[in-house]
């Protein structure tokens, strides 16, 4: 069998096993036995996970009733997968909420206050790892509210923006894609590659996409679909600015406060004096130790005089 065919078969087997594993786990109990004063009753079975759910890292899901309220909960490996799922599903009816690596949907009512807080705190294995930063690079002007989609794999990209081929994104390297709609019929796909070098290498291929206006800024490649003028304006508004932050906090003694500056000077002077005195005592001790080892602890060392008057 050719190498390419063999890899395709192996990939299909891995995907099939992943979907089967998710299907087996999709009926796990993640919701509490009580919410407020209502007791849990079994809900409808959660739909069988597909390629998209496997892609975003679905672990398990459950639906249950609490009186007139129906709650559905999906648990993911991390908050990034939950964020992608939340954006894709939030327009499907009901009240949707993301809680770390969980996505919740409330139908027939909504929990608030202490009851909602208790439900979220009781979710098993809930984590609060940071959300993706890529959405922050979307231009805000004329963006259509609620149109955002976040993609981390081929299945999500095919569903959200079929005009972009998944091979352009190199998802295997960790590429992320943020999509949004803008007034005037413009759709923006913002691709975040791992490094600016990879983005530069992929740019010529992405520029071949029919009807797309493409711009690159650092590791970001903006792909805008729409009328040329409107698409160009949106693509040009994408700017990447790298930021550097220290791992540990530092104190700046010279930040403009004269008192802090003087304190810093006195501290440095004290450290130098302590070092000099310590070094002198160390040398004196070593010389006395040398005399004692030589058997003449009270011997006076001769003074060396340099006669420089005739020089």
């Amino acid at each position: 069998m050719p190498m390419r065919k063999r890899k395709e078969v192996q990939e299909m087997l891995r995907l099939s096993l992943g979907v089967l594993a998710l299907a087996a786990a999709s009926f796990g109990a993640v919701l509490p036995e009580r919410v407020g004063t209502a007791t849990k009753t079994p809900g409808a079975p959660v739909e069988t996970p597909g390629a998209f759910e496997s892609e975003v890292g679905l672990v398990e899901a459950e639906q249950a009733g609490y009186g007139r309220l129906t709650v559905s909960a999906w648990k993911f490996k991390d908050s990034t997968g939950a964020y992608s799922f939340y954006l894709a599903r939030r327009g499907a009816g009901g009240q949707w909420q993301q809680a770390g690596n969980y996505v919740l949907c409330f139908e027939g009512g909504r929990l608030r206050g202490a009851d909602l807080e208790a439900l979220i705190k009781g979710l098993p294995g809930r984590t609060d790892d940071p959300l993706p930063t890529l959405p922050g690079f979307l231009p805000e002007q004329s963006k259509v509210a609620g149109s955002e989609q976040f993609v981390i794999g081929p299945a999500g990209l095919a569903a959200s923006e079929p005009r972009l081929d998944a091979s352009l994104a190199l998802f295997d390297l960790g590429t992320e894609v943020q999509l949004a709609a803008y007034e005037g019929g413009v759709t923006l796909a913002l691709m975040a590659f791992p490094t600016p070098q990879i983005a530069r290498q992929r740019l010529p291929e992405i520029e071949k996409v029919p009807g797309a206006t493409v711009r690159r800024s650092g590791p970001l490649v903006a792909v805008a679909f729409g009328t040329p003028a409107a698409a160009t304006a949106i693509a040009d508004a994408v700017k990447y600015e790298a930021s550097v932050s220290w791992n540990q906090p530092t104190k700046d003694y010279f930040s403009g406060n004269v008192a802090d500056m003087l304190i810093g000077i006195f501290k440095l002077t004290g450290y130098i004096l302590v070092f000099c005195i310590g070094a002198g005592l160390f040398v004196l001790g070593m010389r006395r130790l040398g005399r004692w080892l030589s058997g003449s602890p009270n011997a006076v060392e001769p003074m060396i005089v340099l006669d420089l008057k005739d020089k």
Side-chain angles (χ1 to χ4, degrees), residues 29-64:
V30 296
L31 291 171
E33 292 300 320
R34 297 184 64 85
V35 170
T37 59
T39 303
K40 176 181 177 181
T41 58
V46 180
E47 71 275 13
T48 302
F52 172 67
E53 288 77 14
S54 174
E55 188 173 84
V56 296
L58 178 63
V59 177
E60 53 187 343
E62 184 187 18
Q63 185 180 96

Side-chain angles (χ1 to χ4, degrees), residues 230-289:
T232 299
I234 297 299
D236 288 342
V238 175
K239 302 295 181 184
Y240 176 79
E241 295 182 1
S243 60
V244 178
S245 59
W246 296 105
N247 291 331
Q248 297 181 352
T250 59
K251 185 174 181 179
D252 185 5
Y253 288 105
F254 306 99
S255 58
N257 190 320
V258 177
D260 287 345
M261 182 181 67
L262 292 176
I263 292 174
I265 293 174
F266 288 138
K267 283 186 175 181
L268 179 60
T269 304
Y271 295 150
I272 294 174
L273 287 175
V274 170
F275 173 78
C276 292
I277 293 173
L281 292 175
F282 175 77
V283 172
L284 177 61
M286 293 301 294
R287 294 182 67 177
R288 289 188 175 275
L289 178 62

Side-chain angles (χ1 to χ4, degrees), residues 11-311:
E11 185 64 29
M12 291 178 63
L13 287 174
R14 283 196 294 267
L15 180 59
S16 300
L17 291 174
V19 171
L20 290 174
L22 286 171
S26 62
F27 301 99
V30 296
L31 291 171
E33 292 300 320
R34 297 184 64 85
V35 170
T37 59
T39 303
K40 176 181 177 181
T41 58
V46 180
E47 71 275 13
T48 302
F52 172 67
E53 288 77 14
S54 174
E55 188 173 84
V56 296
L58 178 63
V59 177
E60 53 187 343
E62 184 187 18
Q63 185 180 96
Y66 298 91
R68 299 174 58 185
L69 175 67
T70 299
V71 181
S72 301
W74 292 264
K75 179 182 179 181
F76 297 85
K77 293 180 181 178
D78 53 36
S79 296
T80 298
Y83 178 69
S84 179
F85 183 85
Y86 165 73
L87 292 182
R89 290 293 192 90
R90 61 180 172 173
Q95 300 292 327
W96 292 78
Q97 179 172 345
Q98 181 182 359
N101 61 324
Y102 273 85
V103 175
L104 304 173
C105 178
F106 304 94
E107 298 176 277
R110 178 157 187 164
L111 291 179
R112 300 182 184 278
D115 290 340
L116 177 60
E117 184 178 352
L119 171 62
I120 292 176
K121 285 185 177 181
L123 295 172
R126 185 178 65 89
T127 62
D128 287 318
D129 43 306
L131 292 174
T133 59
L134 181 57
F137 292 98
L138 286 174
E140 290 296 327
Q141 186 174 1
S142 74
K143 185 176 68 175
V144 178
S147 65
E148 300 88 349
Q149 297 290 326
F150 185 77
V151 175
I152 59 176
L157 185 61
S160 302
E161 184 47 74
R163 289 172 289 186
L164 285 177
D165 191 273
S167 62
L168 297 172
L170 300 180
F171 286 113
D172 291 343
L173 300 181
T175 302
E176 300 174 342
V177 180
Q178 178 72 49
L179 299 108
Y182 289 81
E183 297 176 2
V186 176
T187 299
L188 175 65
L190 193 56
M191 309 172 74
F193 290 93
T195 66
Q197 292 75 17
I198 296 177
R200 188 184 303 113
Q201 292 171 0
R202 301 304 298 159
L203 187 63
E205 292 298 321
I206 300 174
E207 289 177 332
K208 297 177 183 178
V209 175
T213 299
V214 182
R215 297 288 187 273
R216 185 184 74 86
S217 178
L220 304 181
V221 175
V223 185
F225 297 96
T227 58
T232 299
I234 297 299
D236 288 342
V238 175
K239 302 295 181 184
Y240 176 79
E241 295 182 1
S243 60
V244 178
S245 59
W246 296 105
N247 291 331
Q248 297 181 352
T250 59
K251 185 174 181 179
D252 185 5
Y253 288 105
F254 306 99
S255 58
N257 190 320
V258 177
D260 287 345
M261 182 181 67
L262 292 176
I263 292 174
I265 293 174
F266 288 138
K267 283 186 175 181
L268 179 60
T269 304
Y271 295 150
I272 294 174
L273 287 175
V274 170
F275 173 78
C276 292
I277 293 173
L281 292 175
F282 175 77
V283 172
L284 177 61
M286 293 301 294
R287 294 182 67 177
R288 289 188 175 275
L289 178 62
R291 294 174 187 174
W292 181 78
L293 293 175
S294 64
S296 53
N298 298 322
V300 178
E301 295 183 1
M303 180 181 295
I304 300 174
V305 179
L306 299 177
D307 189 4
L308 302 176
K309 62 181 180 180
D310 296 330
K311 302 296 183 183

